[in-house]
Amino acid sequence: MLPAASVDVSPLSAVPLAVMLAGLSMLGPFSIDTYLPAFPNIEASLNASPIEVQQTLTVYMLAFAGMVLWHGALADAFGRRNVILASLVLFAVATLGCAASHSVHYLWVFRILQGVSAGAGVVVGRAIIRDLYSGAPAARLLSLVTMIFSIAPAIAPILGGWIVKLTNWRAIFLVVFAYTVVLLWFCFKRLPETLPAPKRQAFDPRHLARNYGDIFRSPLFHMKSGVIAFNFAGLFLFITAAPVMLPEHLHLGPDQFGWLFIPTVSGIFLGALAANRIAGKLAFARQIMIGFCFLIGAAAANVGYHFCFPPALPWSVAPLFFYTFGMSLVAPGATLLTLDLFPRIRATVASCQSFAVTLLGALVAGVIAPFLSHSMLWLACGQLAFTGGALTLWLTSRLYKNR
């Protein structure tokens, strides 16, 4: 671990802190969305089959899901700053390895290393926010992070498409490597430690087993974390199906992935902006239900359109704007309510929450998206099923808590 006291770090105000935490969260989209347009290029360069290249995404998601369980426990034991700096170093090395891979199997290995390290920023970032803020200020900062972070899913596939068109797929990973080095320098200089040593938890098997047992035995944890996981799965279904869906159904090239990601990210940004403005003015429960109105309405409209009409622009992608708008309204409240179930070990709770999201995302990427991607109607039905499941979990959690 890198020593937290190796540099004098002055406290950050809310906006610079939000920029830093959003930058850490962007490692995920840059690891996934940037190289999606390069799948055919990777297949040709490494003599790999489409399913082998698809599995570079699956192994990344599985590694992300497995390790994300531990980022929080490590941060609760050794401090927030140390875990983030160490993970950035490992991610930079893994990204450079991806660029140098000469076979798809080596690419799998380095994608696993990327997955092991990429989740620290998301998990520990949530814990940092909750260390410093509570209630409406925490919700405002979390939505501000989401607003800044939403830039990444918008520019990542467009940037990746242009890079692979002008050079080759390896340059995509080199650009991500350069971004990681800049982020590492910024965090080393300015990232504060928000968990003082007296408040840290012992890192021993019995203590960890007790913490994880408390979390995973909690029905409310599963319900509230499932709300976020199922809503995200409804979006991730379309993202991971994009390499097949966009060329096959909408006849778009690798430099035209913006048709999918621009409305998606616009909804995330504007939804986060709305959540930021109404934080403290509405109860979390009411804000979440408003978000579900957008989620269910958008998914149902998507099913209705593709049931009646063939895929076409912009109608096939327009509902995603309203879907992600609703997602951004639901996420801050659902996230904070989940973290507050166990205030003593918030980073560990954030790890378990991210594990649920990522594990379901890996299932979507590896099984569900390939199965549904050849039909826009089936993709729309899958999205409706996921957000319907999220709504069911939220309503059930309310009934369970009341009883």
Side-chain angles (χ1 to χ4, degrees):
M1 291 291 181
L2 297 174
S6 61
V7 63
D8 184 21
V9 178
S10 57
L12 288 172
S13 59
V15 174
L17 180 62
V19 171
M20 180 181 290
L21 297 181
L24 291 167
S25 300
M26 288 177 184
L27 290 178
F30 284 152
S31 301
I32 297 173
D33 302 338
T34 313
Y35 90 125
L36 290 179
F39 273 24
N41 193 272
I42 296 173
E43 292 169 21
S45 173
L46 300 182
N47 296 317
S49 67
I51 192 64
E52 285 178 321
V53 176
Q54 176 74 26
Q55 295 313 312
T56 64
L57 179 57
T58 304
V59 297
Y60 167 90
M61 295 295 294
L62 289 173
F64 189 108
M67 187 59 195
V68 85
L69 269 176
W70 298 99
H71 291 311
L74 290 169
D76 281 336
F78 300 108
R80 317 306 196 202
R81 174 182 163 85
N82 285 337
V83 172
I84 285 181
L85 294 180
S87 68
L88 285 172
V89 171
L90 180 58
F91 185 85
V93 171
T95 304
L96 203 58
C98 288
S101 296
H102 63 272
S103 74
V104 72
H105 303 102
Y106 277 97
L107 187 57
W108 287 351
V109 171
F110 288 112
R111 288 290 287 168
I112 289 171
L113 289 179
Q114 276 192 317
V116 164
S117 52
V122 177
V123 171
V124 182
R126 291 175 189 165
I128 288 173
I129 291 173
R130 201 60 189 83
D131 288 340
L132 299 174
Y133 301 93
S134 62
R140 278 193 289 269
L141 184 57
L142 192 59
S143 60
L144 181 59
V145 169
T146 302
M147 287 167 59
I148 302 169
F149 155 81
S150 67
I151 298 169
I155 65 173
I158 299 172
L159 178 64
W162 281 108
I163 291 174
V164 76
K165 191 173 182 178
L166 295 173
T167 56
N168 57 57
W169 64 271
R170 299 180 191 277
I172 294 174
F173 288 104
L174 292 176
V175 170
V176 176
F177 170 76
Y179 170 81
T180 308
V181 171
V182 172
L183 186 59
L184 174 61
W185 176 84
F186 186 38
C187 290
F188 183 78
K189 290 291 187 181
R190 299 302 308 275
L191 181 66
E193 178 55 70
T194 61
L195 185 68
K199 292 186 177 181
R200 296 178 187 177
Q201 303 292 318
F203 193 82
D204 68 79
R206 286 182 299 178
H207 185 80
L208 290 175
R210 184 168 61 250
N211 288 344
Y212 284 117
D214 290 343
I215 294 168
F216 285 118
R217 283 194 300 269
S218 167
L220 278 176
F221 168 80
H222 290 289
M223 294 175 198
K224 292 182 178 180
S225 63
V227 169
I228 300 167
F230 275 73
N231 281 336
F232 175 76
L235 170 62
F236 201 57
L237 179 63
F238 276 80
I239 292 174
T240 52
V244 173
M245 178 188 74
L246 296 185
E248 184 174 308
H249 302 304
L250 299 176
H251 313 293
L252 299 176
D255 57 337
Q256 295 177 299
F257 273 46
W259 274 104
L260 173 66
F261 286 91
I262 289 175
T264 297
V265 173
S266 298
I268 293 173
F269 179 87
L270 293 176
L273 177 61
N276 183 274
R277 295 297 174 85
I278 64 178
K281 299 176 182 178
L282 290 179
F284 283 150
R286 187 174 181 186
Q287 180 178 324
I288 288 170
M289 286 307 301
I290 293 172
F292 270 116
C293 290
F294 282 95
L295 284 160
I296 297 295
N302 209 3
V303 171
Y305 175 82
H306 289 104
F307 184 80
C308 299
F309 304 102
L313 293 173
W315 314 112
S316 292
V317 295
L320 292 175
F321 169 84
F322 299 97
Y323 186 92
T324 54
F325 185 93
M327 254 182 60
S328 291
L329 287 179
V330 170
T335 298
L336 293 174
L337 289 172
T338 306
L339 294 181
D340 286 346
L341 290 173
F342 300 92
R344 183 177 53 87
I345 47 171
R346 289 193 183 102
T348 306
V349 178
S351 274
C352 296
Q353 186 183 53
S354 295
F355 173 76
V357 173
T358 312
L359 189 63
L360 186 55
L363 178 64
V364 169
V367 180
I368 300 175
F371 181 73
L372 300 179
S373 61
H374 296 286
S375 167
M376 288 291 289
L377 176 59
W378 282 110
L379 285 171
C381 289
Q383 184 179 73
L384 181 59
F386 277 125
T387 194
L391 177 59
T392 301
L393 287 172
W394 169 249
L395 295 176
T396 304
S397 74
R398 300 286 292 171
L399 290 173
Y400 181 88
K401 184 178 179 181
N402 290 337
R403 290 178 180 177

